[in-house]
Amino acid sequence: MSLLHPLRESWSARWRPRWEAARNAVTSRESVDGPQAAHFRAMQITAVRRLFPLVILGNVVNTVAITATFWGRIDTFWLALWSLVVVLGLGVAQVWWGSFVRRSAQGRATASPKALRTLTIHVALYAAVWMAVPVTVFPSADHTGEMLLGTVTVGMLCAGGFILSAHVMAACAYVLIMSLGSVLALMMSHYSSQWSLVTLLLVYAGTITAMVVASARVYMSRLRAEAETERQAQLIDLLLRDFEEHASDWLWETGLLGQLRHVSARQAQALALRPGSLMQVSFLDLLEARLPPDLPEASEAHARLRGCMQQWQAFRDLEMPVVVAGELRWWSLTAKPLVDERGAPAGWRGVGSDITEARRARDELARLANVDALTGLANRHRFGRELSRLRDVASAPSASCALLFLDLDNFKNINDSLGHAVGDQLLRCVGDRLCGIAPEGSVLARLGGDEFALLLWAQTDPLAVDTLCRHMLEMLSEPYQLEDVRVEVRASIGVALAPRDGSDPESLLKCADLALYAAKAGGRNTYRFFDSAMAENARARVRLQHELGVALAKEQFAVYYQPQYHLTTREVIGFEALVRWQHSERGLIGPGEFIPVAEETGQIVPLGTWVLRQACRDAVHWPAHLRVSVNLSAVQFRSSSVVDVVDMALADSGLPPERLELEVTESALIEDHEGAQSTLMALRSRGIRVALDDFGTGYSSLAYLRRFPMDKLKIDGMFVRSLDSDQDAQAVVTAIIRLAKALRLDTTAEGVETKEQMVMLKALGCDDVQGYLISRPMPAAQVQPYLARSAEALAPA
């Protein structure tokens, strides 16, 4: 057992799947054919019964021949009884096998597995009965009888196997019993020593069996194919019926001349007509009569449809507008030509769909894709597409145009202080005002944020564009009443003309952008036309930006120090650190030239960090009562690591925190109130002093001074320089000093250049001054000698 078990498992694993596959190919089983298995069994029985007239005829002829040949040679009673049983057995089978086939509720013929098993047993018994006479008679028959029995037996073997091949089990049982009977008859006769005959008989039997199996496989394949074809046809019929009854689409079909020959209820409903009135009506004429006359796309679509149908070309999703019951509808038509049995054109068959809602949604999406959702103006995509026409018509007169870039000057402050809702309302109002003066045929777009663009085709007269720009600035500067807020806004405009400034969209956009930048740099609330100097300045800025990156990497900077002078004690109390660029070709460059570039590019952060560290390292060698004042840019101050950078600079240099003063601007404080307050508190908690730089030039709000912890206000030099000649400047400086005193803050006046200015500042109560009158900024190496000279000058004679 232990040896047989692995062999049995090996055989089962290798051959059982193949046996099952071969069996499934020639038999019908529920596990393979599902609900169709019962029908297949009925078809197998029907296929055998269909040949019963030939079977009966053949069997009667063979029975009569054997009976006539051997009548009187063997027992007459038994021979007659055998003949009767053989003939009657076929009659019984004809009737009995018919009862195996039943009809289902749907009228389909079915048969049970038991029916096939019963049929197989019946065939096996019949074959055994049939072989009774040859087996008993053949051994004693003469030559004529042997020839008759051999011929009949072989014929019965072949014919019976072929007739029963639709039912492979019955056929194999029949062939097996007939073959065994024939072999037994030979072995009992004087041919028993003729093994060649036995072998040949077995070969015939094996061949017939193989043919039976092959025929059964073909028959079952045909049954399954027919069943699948019928299933597909039923499914298609069901889908088509459901499609016509419930779908929003509809089927249409025309004859060779284009007349409708199949009109569904859905198609008639789509046309708002009765189905009977549409039969034999020309489909093309029917559509042409319903085309909207004011829509050019309608005639184009109808022409395409007519062309396809005349040339017998299939088409898909051809969109066509039609007027049905006074309403514009959109249809999508798909069809392919029909051909007859000779391959000649026979008509058209297709599907129509009402896509009105989808078309409206698509048109709305297309509109939204080209329109700014906030202002209703053209958006950047639509503007770019319009401007691209410049490339397409570069050689035509219409290639001339004017491009205006407009940017609101103080929109960010309004948006931050009054909220985005007010900002959005302001943008809508600006868009409405611009629409009111935009010339006919121009394209006005909002590019994003507070940026607008106006494209004037065939307009290159600088005088006309100049007038338009003036009018735009005047109109936009008028106050806006937004809800309960009255707002004033200014704008800057950059102008580029084509083809003078550029003949392609990219160059024209670049020129207009440079002109806008120049307008902002020129004081805002103005406009500038592009000129070649702007391009050169832009290239210079790019070159400066690159060189600035190299200078940062190589530390080609130096820190200069300008003394701060106390008016009461007449002593130097500290120095302000001012950075200089030691350019390899241009020499020493002042901060006014490269600091704005560094702020725009973000390079101000590493530059400011380097200046802070260097200033702390230099100041630690000064007398202990002197402070160093370092500027923090707005970008650097808003950095999350600013406190850590200051701590590291102090730790690396050893400078006490109370000797460091950091100068910040109001713009650095207003954009992030909470973050700025926490940063200032963290710095002052370490003992570091904080000064508000350029006070009086920005927002100068008392609320900010009360909210943010400060130590000093620095009066901007623009007021100091006009102090002895401008009463308004005197009033501003007086107000700043009084405000500082009230808030217990120190004051430092910048840009002091004359003794008169210093005398007036002292009289007004200013604490400290700095400027060229005291000293120009100096390198770190000159600080100690300067302090020595100052001490000598103050020493008593």
Side-chain angles (χ1 to χ4, degrees):
M1 289 295 292
S2 60
L3 294 176
L4 292 176
H5 185 68
L7 291 176
R8 189 161 53 246
E9 286 189 349
S10 175
W11 181 91
S12 178
R14 175 176 297 183
W15 295 107
R16 183 175 294 278
R18 300 183 183 181
W19 164 254
E20 290 292 335
R23 182 183 177 188
N24 293 335
V26 298
T27 60
S28 56
R29 303 171 65 189
E30 274 74 9
S31 60
V32 177
D33 301 309
Q36 295 283 359
H39 177 65
F40 291 167
R41 288 191 290 267
M43 296 304 295
Q44 289 175 286
I45 297 173
T46 302
V48 176
R49 292 185 68 247
R50 191 178 295 121
L51 297 175
F52 250 62
L54 295 177
V55 173
I56 294 175
L57 177 62
N59 275 267
V60 168
V61 170
N62 290 334
T63 303
V64 170
I66 292 176
T67 303
T69 300
F70 292 97
W71 190 265
R73 299 184 186 182
I74 61 175
D75 189 329
T76 304
F77 173 77
W78 289 109
L79 182 59
L81 180 61
W82 174 83
S83 300
L84 185 62
V85 171
V86 169
V87 175
L88 290 178
L90 291 176
V92 171
Q94 170 72 1
V95 177
W96 190 21
W97 291 7
S99 66
F100 293 163
V101 179
R102 303 180 182 277
R103 294 288 173 178
S104 66
Q106 292 77 26
R108 287 174 62 85
T110 61
S112 66
K114 182 180 179 181
L116 289 187
R117 289 194 297 269
T118 304
L119 189 148
T120 302
I121 296 172
H122 189 189
V123 167
L125 292 174
Y126 184 80
V129 171
W130 224 105
M131 286 304 298
V133 169
V135 170
T136 57
V137 174
F138 188 82
S140 59
D142 57 11
H143 182 71
T144 301
E146 289 175 346
M147 291 295 293
L148 176 64
L149 289 175
T151 301
V152 170
T153 302
V154 172
M156 290 289 291
L157 177 66
C158 295
F162 173 76
I163 291 172
L164 294 168
S165 60
H167 181 18
V168 69
M169 299 304 295
C172 289
Y174 178 83
V175 171
L176 177 62
I177 293 174
M178 294 290 288
S179 300
L180 290 176
S182 300
V183 171
L184 181 61
L186 284 175
M187 296 303 296
M188 294 172 60
S189 70
H190 59 89
Y191 294 105
S192 59
S193 60
Q194 300 294 323
W195 289 102
S196 58
L197 292 177
V198 176
T199 303
L200 190 60
L201 181 59
L202 294 176
V203 170
Y204 287 164
T207 302
I208 293 172
T209 303
M211 293 176 64
V212 165
V213 172
S215 179
R217 182 182 291 109
V218 172
Y219 181 74
M220 288 303 302
S221 298
R222 182 169 61 83
L223 278 182
R224 288 172 176 141
E226 290 175 354
E228 179 62 21
T229 301
E230 182 183 0
R231 188 187 69 84
Q232 292 287 349
Q234 292 175 351
L235 178 61
I236 291 173
D237 183 65
L238 177 64
L239 290 176
L240 287 177
R241 193 180 305 113
D242 182 74
F243 178 83
E244 291 198 343
E245 291 178 357
H246 302 97
S248 58
D249 300 345
W250 37 270
L251 299 175
W252 62 276
E253 185 175 328
T254 69
L256 182 62
L257 300 179
Q259 285 81 11
L260 290 169
R261 64 185 183 191
H262 171 77
V263 180
S264 65
R266 186 67 62 181
Q267 181 181 8
Q269 182 182 354
L271 288 164
L273 296 172
R274 291 180 296 101
S277 64
L278 295 174
M279 294 299 294
Q280 298 304 314
V281 175
S282 171
F283 187 53
L284 287 173
D285 294 344
L286 188 68
L287 293 178
E288 186 175 15
R290 285 162 173 76
L291 295 179
D294 56 345
L295 195 61
E297 187 177 353
S299 57
E300 296 176 3
H302 190 269
R304 288 198 303 272
L305 176 63
R306 182 181 294 275
C308 288
M309 295 186 71
Q310 289 177 348
Q311 299 174 19
W312 297 98
Q313 294 179 349
F315 53 89
R316 185 176 184 84
D317 298 331
L318 192 154
E319 296 186 3
M320 176 171 292
V322 292
V323 177
V324 179
E327 181 185 3
L328 176 63
R329 310 294 297 180
W330 283 89
W331 287 356
S332 174
L333 300 177
T334 297
K336 63 179 181 179
L338 301 176
V339 294
D340 56 19
E341 63 277 2
R342 295 172 299 176
W348 287 86
R349 179 180 295 147
V351 178
S353 306
D354 190 318
I355 58 168
T356 305
E357 297 304 321
R359 177 68 185 228
R360 290 172 181 170
R362 191 175 68 191
D363 292 344
E364 179 64 14
L365 287 176
R367 187 189 70 82
L368 294 176
N370 293 283
V371 173
D372 176 59
L374 180 64
T375 62
L377 305 177
N379 59 10
R380 182 180 291 272
H381 171 73
R382 163 72 194 290
F383 185 79
R385 192 176 61 187
E386 185 72 19
L387 189 60
S388 65
R389 289 174 47 198
L390 189 65
R391 184 183 293 107
D392 301 333
V393 296
S395 58
S398 58
S400 61
C401 65
L403 176 60
L404 282 66
F405 271 5
L406 183 145
D407 185 274
L408 302 182
D409 292 336
N410 58 331
F411 176 75
K412 190 176 188 308
N413 300 335
I414 295 174
N415 214 27
D416 291 342
S417 59
L418 301 179
H420 293 284
V422 174
D424 291 346
Q425 190 176 356
L426 174 60
L427 291 175
R428 284 192 289 269
C429 292
V430 169
D432 292 341
R433 291 190 182 183
L434 290 175
C435 280
I437 62 170
E440 185 177 357
S442 62
V443 180
L444 177 63
R446 174 175 173 247
L447 304 183
D450 60 334
E451 299 177 358
F452 295 83
L454 179 62
L455 181 61
L456 307 172
W457 285 112
Q459 178 62 272
T460 56
D461 180 14
L463 184 60
V465 177
D466 184 279
T467 302
L468 178 63
C469 290
R470 292 178 184 274
H471 185 29
M472 290 173 66
L473 292 179
E474 291 174 1
M475 181 200 60
L476 292 176
S477 63
E478 295 179 4
Y480 300 82
Q481 186 63 41
L482 309 176
E483 296 179 355
D484 56 348
V485 181
R486 185 179 176 87
V487 175
E488 293 186 4
V489 69
R490 302 290 184 268
S492 299
I493 304 175
V495 184
L497 304 177
R500 187 192 74 178
D501 301 328
S503 57
D504 59 90
E506 291 76 14
S507 58
L508 197 65
L509 285 169
K510 181 180 178 181
C511 293
D513 194 48
L514 290 174
L516 177 61
Y517 183 86
K520 286 184 171 295
R524 302 175 183 267
N525 193 31
T526 186
Y527 61 95
R528 291 288 185 271
F529 282 80
F530 173 80
D531 59 45
S532 57
M534 295 177 185
E536 180 58 35
N537 291 337
R539 287 191 290 270
R541 289 177 66 82
V542 173
R543 185 167 57 251
L544 185 66
Q545 177 183 343
H546 172 71
E547 293 175 349
L548 189 59
V550 175
L552 279 170
K554 296 182 178 181
E555 295 188 359
Q556 296 177 346
F557 295 95
V559 180
Y560 276 52
Y561 298 94
Q562 187 173 37
Q564 295 175 335
Y565 184 77
H566 196 278
L567 291 175
T568 302
T569 62
R570 296 188 300 166
E571 293 180 348
V572 176
I573 60 172
F575 292 84
E576 181 179 3
L578 304 170
V579 65
R580 299 291 186 268
W581 182 0
Q582 294 176 333
H583 197 278
S584 57
E585 298 178 359
R586 299 170 56 190
L588 204 63
I589 301 177
E593 186 172 347
F594 64 87
I595 289 297
V597 177
E599 288 179 339
E600 290 179 6
T601 60
Q603 294 170 314
I604 191 65
V605 174
L607 177 59
T609 300
W610 181 86
V611 171
L612 176 63
R613 291 181 175 180
Q614 186 62 43
C616 291
R617 284 195 292 266
D618 291 338
V620 77
H621 302 293
W622 301 342
H625 67 281
L626 296 180
R627 292 191 300 267
V628 62
S629 182
V630 182
N631 289 278
L632 290 182
S633 70
V635 177
Q636 190 178 9
F637 181 77
R638 290 193 296 269
S639 173
S640 59
S641 60
V642 61
V643 177
D644 296 333
V645 169
V646 173
D647 288 342
M648 189 174 297
L650 293 174
D652 291 344
S653 63
L655 184 72
E658 59 272 10
R659 293 184 58 191
L660 175 63
E661 184 176 81
L662 298 176
E663 298 183 8
V664 297
T665 60
E666 288 175 285
S667 61
L669 304 178
I670 191 174
E671 294 185 7
D672 182 10
H673 300 169
E674 301 298 332
Q677 188 175 30
S678 61
T679 299
L680 291 177
M681 293 180 65
L683 293 172
R684 296 189 78 239
S685 66
R686 288 161 169 75
I688 300 170
R689 289 172 56 87
V690 178
L692 188 60
D693 196 17
D694 299 334
F695 187 77
T697 61
Y699 307 98
S700 304
S701 171
L702 181 60
Y704 291 128
L705 293 179
R706 294 182 58 194
R707 182 172 183 180
F708 296 122
M710 294 288 174
D711 296 286
K712 177 189 290 187
L713 297 182
K714 296 195 71 174
I715 305 172
D716 190 77
M718 63 178 290
F719 301 114
V720 175
R721 283 187 292 271
S722 304
L723 192 61
D724 52 357
S725 60
D726 188 348
Q727 292 185 351
D728 292 338
Q730 294 177 16
V732 170
V733 172
T734 301
I736 293 174
I737 294 174
R738 290 179 178 177
L739 177 62
K741 296 296 185 183
L743 296 175
R744 295 182 296 278
L745 301 176
D746 295 335
T747 52
T748 297
E750 299 177 301
V752 178
E753 297 178 353
T754 65
K755 290 184 178 180
E756 289 78 7
Q757 294 168 356
M758 188 166 68
V759 170
M760 292 185 67
L761 288 168
K762 183 177 182 181
L764 293 173
C766 183
D767 299 310
D768 313 320
V769 294
Q770 68 180 84
Y772 286 173
L773 178 64
I774 308 301
S775 173
R776 289 179 174 272
M778 64 190 73
Q782 297 180 12
V783 171
Q784 294 290 1
Y786 172 78
L787 291 174
R789 290 194 303 273
S790 298
E792 292 177 0
L794 292 174

